[in-house]
Amino acid sequence: MSQNEYRVRFAPSPTGYLHIGGARTAIYDWLLAKQSGGKFILRIEDTDRKRFVPGSLEDIKENLRWLGLEWDEGPEVGGAYGPYFQSERLDIYQRFAQQLIDEGKAYYCYCTPERLQQLRQAQEGAKEQVGYDRHCRDGSPEAREGMKRVIRFKTPLTGKTLVKDLLRGDLEFENNLLEDLVLIKSDGYPTYHFANVVDDHLMKVTHVLRGEEWLPSTPVHVLLYQAFGWEPPKFVHLSLFLSPDGKGKLSKRHGATSVKEYRELGYLPEALFNFLLLLGWNPGNDQEVISKTEAIRLFSLDRVNASPVRFALDKLNWYNGVYIRSLEPRDLAERCLPFLQKDGLLPEPCPAERFEYLVRLMPLVQERLKLLTDITGWVDFFLREEIPAPPKEMLIPKKLDAPTTLRVLRALLETLEKVPDAFAAGDLEAALHPLPEKLELKMGDVFMPLRVAVSGKTATPGMYEMLQALGKERVIKRLKAAIEVLAD
Ligand code: GLU
């Protein structure tokens, strides 16, 4: 491994779905690994069995892949430093904990949960700092064979610990304010802190990127590295996301917080990637649309922002429109297909000829689409053979009455019946364009009833393209149905 090849890990716990904050960390991790010719490692920190959420591991893997963040080492792909599930590395943590015990840097603690609870209550009652009182640090009076015990770290009681953070500079922590953290729990599992440090060392991780909520743990991590005589990795604690109004921390009540939800809402992975990339980093100029390939080239830690950033949903929506418009029709159709299938507008699997028809519709709606989930509203009347006849109130334009509208629809029918069967947009335009003048009516008063009659909606794609894509047969049929509504 050359000096410049970064080994960067994303280390989620399977305690929930992939969070957008986590996704941003993973994006930065991935970019650092790619641009340095290094490795992006996925390590699953599954040592807290009580907090395990079924399905979360699958969700994390699926959505990292959806964002295009394939890992070089980790679950399913393996690697030289595995296993990559912490639950499969228990013997390793035991060995290193034993080493610290042997060297007098860690100790067995036999304090019962009841004692610890009483201690906390007493400390809270006396308004003292809450924390372990180091009862067992110099030998435990309670120690007996077969008793439950944990292993704790002997945190130095004096002095200071320096955390070097690439974003935040050098941060000093007073050791006497740090606790004697548990390294191995009574069930034999390591704590997050211990497993994290041992693994980052054994996996030769060069850069640790994580949310700033982990910053208070870092001095103890640094002390652990020192206790082992290991060189710590470089730390980068990323800022929090603020709510869209900028008034507080982003939380569930502001809307979706998992990648899965954004995906289901109809965002493109390219848009989410680009949006998260710029949520805390900037390229040094006002370029906003940055592809993954460009990001690999441009990304650098010295442009990562240490202050909290506002989660501006309107910006994400804007990106989504930009990326939707950049897609080839076939690609866009492929991405819309699952949403249309879910809404029952296309069968699963979709027959080739129906898919080709969908591809043909894409240029008509591409400009108007903001979310992939909007697709149903734009194309349902194309994909259905029949639509319910629109009600009178919808068919009659504001300034027209029923008899005039009926006259308009009849004139439209007569005109359209004469258009050659191919229903080419050019022929349609030539036939329809002169009609308002002939009827001595405004454009809108002639075309709105037509639009509503064939689509059941007041907003649709462009008229001539829409009629062509619907085809003569369906247009004539729907016009006749609308005429019947008004003639009643
Ligand atoms: N398992 C921790 C988490 O779920 C990892 C934090 C770190 O990257 O050190 O966020």
Side-chain angles (χ1 to χ4, degrees), residues 195-230:
N196 192 271
V197 166
V198 168
D199 286 348
D200 281 344
H201 171 71
L202 294 180
M203 295 180 181
K204 297 196 163 44
V205 167
T206 59
H207 291 69
V208 166
L209 275 69
R210 61 185 168 209
E212 68 177 328
E213 68 272 22
W214 297 103
L215 188 56
S217 309
T218 310
V220 185
H221 296 189
V222 170
L223 287 167
L224 278 167
Y225 283 104
Q226 287 170 359
F228 282 116
W230 297 338

Side-chain angles (χ1 to χ4, degrees), residues 251-309:
S251 76
K252 278 212 166 69
R253 75 196 156 82
H254 301 113
T257 51
S258 69
V259 173
K260 175 191 163 74
E261 288 169 286
Y262 283 96
R263 176 181 186 168
E264 287 172 356
L265 285 167
Y267 289 94
L268 297 183
E270 292 92 333
L272 195 57
F273 184 103
N274 196 151
F275 172 67
L276 290 173
L277 169 69
L278 275 100
L279 221 52
W281 171 81
N282 69 78
N285 55 35
D286 53 12
Q287 185 179 354
E288 290 190 299
V289 179
I290 302 177
S291 70
K292 274 167 76 183
T293 332
E294 268 181 295
I296 295 176
R297 190 167 53 79
L298 296 173
F299 186 76
S300 71
L301 283 175
D302 52 17
R303 292 202 169 278
V304 174
N305 199 343
S307 44
V309 271

Side-chain angles (χ1 to χ4, degrees), residues 9-15 22 25 29 43-46 51 86 192 196-197 200 208-211 213-214 218 221 235-237:
R9 91 301 192 269
F10 181 55
S13 302
T15 52
T25 306
D29 285 336
R43 183 176 73 224
I44 306 300
E45 304 210 320
D46 56 349
R51 292 180 56 221
Q86 290 187 326
Y192 151 73
N196 192 271
V197 166
D200 281 344
V208 166
L209 275 69
R210 61 185 168 209
E213 68 272 22
W214 297 103
T218 310
H221 296 189
F235 294 107
V236 180
H237 289 93

